[in-house]
Amino acid sequence: MALSIDEARAQVLAAVRPLPSEDVAVQDALGRVLAEDIVAQRDVPSFANSAMDGFAVRSGPAGRALRVVGESRAGAPSAVPVGDGEAVRISTGAALPEGADAVLQVECVTVDGDRVTLGDDVDPGRNVRPAGDDVRAGATVLPRGARMGAAEIGIAVVAGRGTVACAHTPRVVVLATGDELVAPGEPLGPGQLHNSNAATLAALATQSGARVLRTGVVADTEHATRAAIAAALDEADVLVLSGGVSVGPHDHVKPALEALGVREVFWRVALRPGRPTWFGTREDTLVFGLPGNPVSAMVTFMLFARPALGAMQGAPHAPEWVVARLAEAIPRHPDRDECVRVSLSDGLATPTGPQGSHQLSSMLGADGFAIVTAGTGSAQPGDQVVVELV
Ligand code: AMP
Ligand code: MG
């Protein structure tokens, strides 16, 4: 009995050893996963400042004519405080001078030499951004395990950090097996096809926060397969293979892995597409032997290799899914759960097109995999399905 998707994924995650951490310059941390909580070292903003260009004043009624005694500019706070009957010219973001509790914007005043007449009542706090109204000193602004995007980088900077501790980037080698493979852009001979898997799997690995050391193509011989895998095992934290993992006379991956001391954790998952998926480990190195069909390769990478890469970086495994209604009838496979590529709209899951494991176009526009569970008959239009978002 082949494993279910969830069982297989659990076995993969159980085999993951998290990578150590290193300090990374915050501006270089895009896509990295934090190995520490980031705590604000001070209030942000660190001083009360003006939300407008205008005049810092003491709150009070309209009509007052005040003497302008100084200026507060960005990076150059006023040297003088604001007393009764006084105002300080102030720029957006500049520090609120001592003595002032509000700012009246320039549009609401009349300036005449060093006199400014207020055209509006000024409540306390008007146009003032208090210290700490974005982030409080001591607050945890980012948890360990968060992946650094542009906003996370910005928050780490304002929290006071120049470097952040991040998990090491997993090193990935992608090897595509097959005598039929031709490099992108090259002409095809009889029976040949373009090696799309090396490109899609490398792209998925990169999107998962990995560094793809290289991709390679491996001929369908025992010797070439073993040599290529041996070299890759010495470089990579994760080796991703495509093709050659079935039991035909030209499938050399499984015996090569066994000969090289990679321990099989599982082979075959009750999954369509992607049944012949193989997974194993050698010490801390993970090896995924993914099926060669282009959709199977992508689907199984997304289901199994992507969470492993996340877990190696310390990112919590949290598959996102929604419940939707099927737009079309889908015949159930007798003993495999099917990942139907669907687009989602208004709670409706619509298959992206013909769903063959070779039909890569079915991956275009896919928001997720609708899991049509094994059984008899068909899932019907309107039936509820779980959709794992991709
Ligand atoms: P295999 O798992 O080696 O039997 O491969 C199954 C099928 O997947 C092959 O017959 C090819 O049509 C296709 N295939 C294998 N490798 C690739 C690849 N790298 N890129 C695109 N298609 C592939
Ligand atoms: Mg093959």
Side-chain angles (χ1 to χ4, degrees):
M1 200 29 207
L3 295 177
S4 71
I5 298 171
D6 286 343
E7 287 165 346
R9 187 153 45 193
Q11 293 194 6
V12 168
L13 290 171
V16 168
R17 297 287 162 270
L19 296 170
S21 65
E22 61 184 345
D23 284 339
V24 178
V26 65
Q27 63 271 28
D28 297 332
L30 183 66
R32 303 291 295 269
V33 177
L34 286 175
E36 59 169 340
D37 292 341
I38 302 296
V39 175
Q41 293 170 354
R42 60 183 67 80
D43 281 346
V44 183
S46 60
F47 52 88
N49 66 87
S50 177
M52 291 281 185
D53 289 335
F55 290 85
V57 300
R58 294 185 171 190
S59 50
R64 289 176 293 155
L66 308 175
R67 196 162 64 86
V68 180
V69 295
E71 183 177 17
S72 181
R73 299 190 311 174
S78 170
V80 292
V82 173
D84 249 348
E86 293 178 344
V88 159
R89 185 182 286 274
I90 193 166
S91 317
T92 304
L96 192 70
E98 200 106 353
D101 64 352
V103 170
L104 191 58
Q105 64 268 40
V106 74
E107 294 82 356
C108 298
V109 305
T110 318
V111 182
D112 180 14
D114 69 349
R115 311 293 291 182
V116 59
T117 305
L118 306 188
D120 204 356
D121 292 341
V122 183
D123 290 334
R126 181 166 175 180
N127 293 323
V128 173
R129 303 162 172 167
D133 81 335
D134 185 5
V135 173
R136 281 277 174 212
T140 299
V141 289
L142 297 170
R144 179 192 186 95
R147 198 176 285 279
M148 298 294 281
E152 286 76 11
I153 286 176
I155 281 285
V157 170
V158 301
R161 303 300 296 268
T163 62
V164 287
C166 296
H168 274 234
T169 301
R171 295 162 302 173
V172 170
V173 170
V174 177
L175 295 178
T177 72
D179 287 339
E180 72 276 36
L181 301 179
V182 169
E186 295 300 317
L188 295 178
Q192 294 185 321
L193 51 98
H194 285 124
N195 176 10
S196 57
N197 287 353
T200 55
L201 297 174
L204 288 170
T206 303
Q207 285 180 337
S208 309
R211 183 157 60 93
V212 178
L213 300 178
R214 61 189 176 86
T215 64
V217 175
V218 184
D220 286 324
T221 68
E222 188 186 330
H223 176 76
T225 306
R226 197 188 290 197
I229 292 175
L233 284 171
D234 288 340
E235 304 169 62
D237 300 307
V238 177
L239 170 57
V240 179
L241 292 143
S242 96
V245 77
S246 296
V247 285
H250 308 294
D251 293 322
H252 301 288
V253 167
K254 271 164 36 82
L257 289 167
E258 192 186 330
L260 290 164
V262 184
R263 186 182 61 87
E264 177 179 309
V265 176
F266 63 76
W267 180 51
R268 288 189 172 154
V269 181
L271 162 67
R272 178 156 111 168
R275 178 167 183 265
T277 302
W278 190 98
F279 172 68
T281 61
R282 193 176 78 172
E283 291 167 12
D284 291 350
T285 306
L286 307 184
V287 180
F288 293 90
L290 306 181
N293 275 304
V295 179
S296 313
M298 284 191 76
V299 167
T300 53
F301 186 102
M302 290 163 143
L303 292 177
F304 307 119
R306 182 160 64 188
L309 289 168
M312 291 174 87
Q313 297 168 79
H317 173 60
E320 288 181 55
W321 50 269
V322 296
V323 175
R325 284 171 294 110
L326 266 183
E328 298 172 13
I330 307 279
R332 291 188 194 278
H333 190 280
D335 45 36
R336 290 193 264 159
D337 292 346
E338 181 161 2
C339 282
V340 179
R341 283 78 71 201
V342 295
S343 62
L344 288 171
S345 164
D346 293 334
L348 206 60
T350 306
T352 48
Q355 296 283 315
S357 62
H358 61 295
Q359 288 170 308
L360 198 48
S361 54
S362 66
M363 291 300 293
L364 288 175
D367 298 312
F369 303 145
I371 312 290
V372 174
T373 50
T376 53
S378 292
Q380 294 301 319
D383 280 1
Q384 292 206 325
V385 277
V386 170
V387 179
E388 183 161 326
L389 302 178
V390 301

